[in-house]
Structure formats: structure tokens, C-alpha cells
Amino acid sequence: MSWKNERPLSTAELLAILEEDEDLFQTDSVDAVYIPPPVDEVTDEEELDDDLRENVINLPDVAGTYEIHASLPNSSEDLDSELLPSSSIKSKVSKKNINKSKTALPKWKKEVPVYTTAPQNKEKINLEDIENRIGDEDKGIPLVRNSMSRNRFDSIKQNLHLSDNDQLDKNDRFSKLRPLFDLINEKNMQFGVFSHNLSIDEEMVPYFGRHSCKMFIKGKPIRFGFKLWCLCSSNGYLYKCIPYGGKTSTYNNELGLGANVVLELLSVVQHPSLHRVFFDNFFSSYKLFCLLKERGFYATGTIRENRTCNNTIETVKNLKKKDRGTYDFSFENNQKILLVRWNDNSVVTVVTNNSTIEPLVGAKRYNRKEKKAVSISQPKVIAEYNQHMGGVDLHDNGICNYRINVKGKKWWWPLFVNLIDSVIVNAWKVHNLANKSKMSQLDFKSYIAVALMKMNEPAPENNIQDQDTSGPSNQINLSFNPNYGRPSKSALPVEIRVDNFGHVIVEDKNKARRRCRQCKSTTIYKCVKCQVHLHANCFEKFHTK
């Protein structure tokens, strides 16, 4: 390629010429090199031709020379591409001819198509494999389907009422739920307060609707919902719970809300000297501990600095400046109340009327300076508080693990569902305590659900002596031989009949004679739990394998 011009070319003109050249499109790479003029040739005087003086606008914008280096593809020899300086008249670019290959166009014909391969369809085989793996029992869950239809469940849920609307107390915001709360508190107390260590704390029931009793607590896992005051054992068994209705709740203003809640919850404790009570600084006050001492309760709890009524103990501000593990205490001899203030990650103040400081125990804490865990001294009363205070949290954790997720549009529905979960958690803890077993909560709740769904199935009367109930206490076998006769209203699973818990023989209230389930002769006695008539001699045989 060669081109001529009567004047020097500018940079824009050089680029335009290179872009128009089709041969350069076949090159693998194009490099443009600018070479500035020598320094010695730069002077204050410039010599220009007369032709260039007439066309000043088209003067070259850059002094010096351009070199274009282009490498053509499929070339075994190095090609030299060179452009003369922009001030020169003649410029040449050498190249090598390129063999341009024409793209082959498709040849269309009107012929019957013939393909060498075809896609394979294995969908039917895959579906059969999935069906064989899952099986028919998991499709629709026949046990649930046969127990209750969806329409029946919706109808019961729609017409469910917990109290008579004509007899509601207008001053009680929880009057719709009050009968259920009273009933569950009564059932929870059927074994009495059997724990030595008790804890009092609050529990939140999640609720996001609109209600005047809905609370908001910043920093809690459940921020919006209803608040319940709970009395639990140290292992999480609930004895009594009270719903909180807000500022409209009536209480003694001299003691405060927290103290009134503690006294109301402890009203179910018949023998105060057999128990110790733990609660946090929301409830604690000096007046409350004086009242508990008069009533014979042994209590321990954290307390706020403005409720101690004590000026002799070292202040929080001063104690915080000292090393971790440092403590100070003060004892009130008239009411026998001990006040202990201990410096940990923050300063903690504990009040008690039954515990002591010594012997000191060791508590492991991480030391940032030494970059390792160190042991610091901890008063005994604080160690006992940390050990026994979490009973309500354990009960709440059991509810949250497998909470019923059935939604409802009524404002009281979350509280109703929470009470059912609470009763199941209590039953699970009593079951493990009575049987000295470690049955998981999931297995226990599954057993209850299956047992309730099988309540209407026919009882295996013809094979009572052949049932096998052997096996670990934490693994309950719910299978039994079917009875194809006419189902009875008093039919029950074998596992309920042989669980050896709660079976008592009593006389029928109406003295109605029914056939004995064991010997088939009539009798007026029956089992309270199984609700079947039995003779006294047949009672033991019927409840054994």
C-alpha cells in the first residue's frame, strides 16, 4: 500500500487512512509508535513552505514521526511496515497478499430427514423409581387423613370458644382465656410443687396483631407479643403462669409490680421452707425480701443499686475500677438479708436471705492481656443464682423447639397454642423424671400425636395376651394387631393400656353396668384413664401384656 500527499499529515488523518485500509484488518496486531524529534533541532525559528503557510489550519498537530508495525497472519516471513514522517511527502506500507477463504453456504434440499442420533426419554423410569423409594404410606399420610378431615378441622377451629361471651368480665382483658389459664394452672399443680429450687421470670408469646396487651421489649429474641409471668422449677417444669395486661393490672403501688407478681406466683407454694426462689432485678427490692422473710420464703436475686437501701457497700463506679473477682458485701442483721456486689465483666449486685459468700468458687474468664482463660474468685451466692435461675428459659426453649405453627385470625389464638405447647413440655419433663429416662422431646411429641390419632381405632381385644411391649423406655412401639370387628367408643392403643401410669379403678358414678373388657361379664367398676369397665380381679391382667 502506498499513498502520496502534498503536505504533512495530522494524527486524525493518519488514523482515518489506517481504518480505511482493509488489508490491515487481517493482521494479528497493529502497533503505532510515535518518535519525537531530536532535542537539538528544536529552535525558536521555524521554516515553513509557502504552500503550508497558506493552509495553516491543516498543520500537523504533533511534530515527529509515526511508525506502523503490522504482522500479517499465515506469514512465515517478518513483514516491515513503515510510514514516513508526518512532514514527509511520501509514505509506504508493505504487506503480503492474504488468501481469503470463502465461507461455505448450506445446501437446502427437499428430502426426508434422517438423523444419526435421537434423545432418550427415561422420565417414566425415574418416576417409578421415586414411587418405589417413597412408597404409598407417605402419600397423604393415611393416619392423619383417617383421623380428621380438613373441613372438620377448619369447622372446629372456626367455632372454637374458650369461655362464654355473655359472662365475660369487662375489667379483665384476658377474660376469653381466663378459664383455660385457671384449668392449666390447676393441672400443672396436680403433683404439687415437687422441686426444691424455683425460678420466676417473664415469657414472651409472639404476636404481631393489634391488641392493647401486646408488649414490646427491646433486645429480646421475641420483641412483640404477650407477656406471661411464670413460676418454674430449675429444670423447666411450669407450675403457674399469669398473663400481664399492662398498666391496667391492679397491684399494690407501695411494693411495685415486680413484688406483687412474685407474691402472687408464690401463693401456690404450700410449704415455703422446702424451697428456694430465684428471680432477677426486675422483681427484687428490699421491701420484697422483708415480706418473703416474714412468710418463710428463702429467696435470692439480683437487685438494682437504687433499691438496696444501703450506703455502706462500695459503689458500682468504684468497684468497676478494680480487678475482676473483687467483691464487697454488707449484712442486715435485723431482717437477716445479705447484700453482695461482685466485679465481673460488669458489676453484679445480689441480695439473699439464705445463702453465704464462702466458700468461694472459681469462674473461668478470658483475659485479653494474657490471651487465655483464667480463673477468678466468685462468691457462692452468685454461683447458686447462675445455676438455678434459668428454669423459665428452659421451659420457653422447650416451647420454641417445636412450636405449633397453625395460624389463626383471633387475637387469643397465639396464647391458646402456647398453652398447649406448654402442657406438652411439662408432660415430657414429668415423663423423664418418673421413668428416669432421656426420651427426646421430638419422640415424645410424636408419640402423643400418634396415640391421639389412634384413639378411635379398634382395640385388639382378641390378642391382649399376645402383645409385645418390650423394648427401651425411650422407644415406644405404636403398632398393634388390627381388630376388624365393630369399633368401640372406648377403644384405646395398647401403649396407653400398659404404660403403668395413672390407671385407677373406681366405681361408675351412675352405677351403670357394662361388660368387663377382660372377662366379658358385667360390672359397675371401671378404669379412670382407659374409660373401660373392669372387675377388680381383671384390672391387673388387662393392664399387663
Side-chain angles (χ1 to χ4, degrees), residues 476-532:
I476 304 175
N477 183 18
L478 295 177
S479 61
F480 52 83
N481 296 330
N483 181 3
Y484 296 100
R486 182 178 179 181
S488 172
K489 293 183 179 180
S490 58
L492 72 157
V494 178
E495 286 70 25
I496 297 178
R497 176 172 59 84
V498 298
D499 60 0
N500 295 327
F501 183 78
H503 297 280
V504 180
I505 187 170
V506 295
E507 185 178 355
D508 191 282
K509 293 182 180 180
N510 299 326
K511 294 186 177 181
R513 284 189 168 272
R514 298 287 185 271
R515 290 188 179 274
C516 175
R517 184 61 65 88
Q518 184 70 18
C519 66
K520 309 303 180 184
S521 61
T522 59
T523 179
I524 61 174
Y525 295 96
K526 67 176 183 179
C527 176
V528 175
K529 183 175 182 179
C530 300
Q531 290 296 312
V532 296

Side-chain angles (χ1 to χ4, degrees), residues 117 170 172 184 191 197-198 237 269 271 376 428 507 537:
T117 59
K170 296 182 180 180
D172 186 4
I184 289 181
F191 306 110
N197 299 303
L198 307 176
Y237 182 88
V269 181
H271 305 285
I376 62 175
W428 169 56
E507 185 178 355
N537 298 333

Side-chain angles (χ1 to χ4, degrees), residues 269-420:
V269 181
Q270 298 179 356
H271 305 285
S273 60
L274 302 178
H275 309 281
R276 295 191 303 174
V277 187
F278 298 86
F279 41 83
D280 59 18
N281 57 17
F282 178 83
F283 308 94
S284 299
S285 65
Y286 177 78
K287 295 180 180 180
L288 173 62
F289 274 80
C290 293
L291 284 176
L292 294 177
K293 184 65 178 178
E294 293 177 1
R295 301 184 182 187
F297 287 98
Y298 299 102
T300 302
T302 56
I303 190 171
R304 300 174 185 177
E305 187 175 11
N306 57 352
R307 297 182 183 179
T308 57
C309 300
N310 189 317
N311 296 325
T312 61
I313 195 171
E314 193 167 1
T315 62
V316 174
K317 185 177 180 180
N318 294 335
L319 193 63
K320 194 174 183 179
K321 298 178 182 179
K322 298 184 179 181
D323 297 336
R324 282 197 301 182
T326 306
Y327 66 90
D328 190 19
F329 67 95
S330 181
F331 183 69
E332 206 280 316
N333 198 17
N334 293 331
Q335 298 292 336
K336 306 297 182 183
I337 297 176
L338 175 65
L339 194 66
V340 181
R341 183 165 288 166
W342 178 58
N343 184 23
D344 192 12
N345 295 330
S346 60
V347 178
V348 181
T349 307
V350 177
V351 59
T352 181
N353 60 3
N354 63 91
S355 188
T356 58
I357 301 174
E358 296 180 350
L360 298 176
V361 297
K364 290 186 178 181
R365 297 292 185 272
Y366 183 78
N367 192 322
R368 294 183 179 179
K369 294 182 179 179
E370 300 181 6
K371 295 183 179 180
K372 64 177 182 180
V374 297
S375 179
I376 62 175
S377 59
Q378 185 183 56
K380 176 186 175 183
V381 59
I382 296 179
E384 291 179 349
Y385 175 84
N386 293 335
Q387 182 180 0
H388 303 296
M389 176 56 197
V392 178
D393 294 334
L394 286 176
H395 184 83
D396 192 21
N397 182 52
I399 295 176
C400 295
N401 286 338
Y402 305 101
R403 189 186 296 274
I404 297 176
N405 291 324
V406 180
K407 306 298 182 182
K409 295 184 178 180
K410 300 176 182 178
W411 68 266
W412 49 264
W413 181 261
L415 289 169
F416 171 69
V417 171
N418 188 83
L419 288 174
I420 296 177

Side-chain angles (χ1 to χ4, degrees), residues 178 224 227 234 262 273 330 362 454 507:
R178 190 63 63 183
F224 295 94
K227 182 185 289 188
S234 58
V262 171
S273 60
S330 181
K454 288 188 174 182
E507 185 178 355

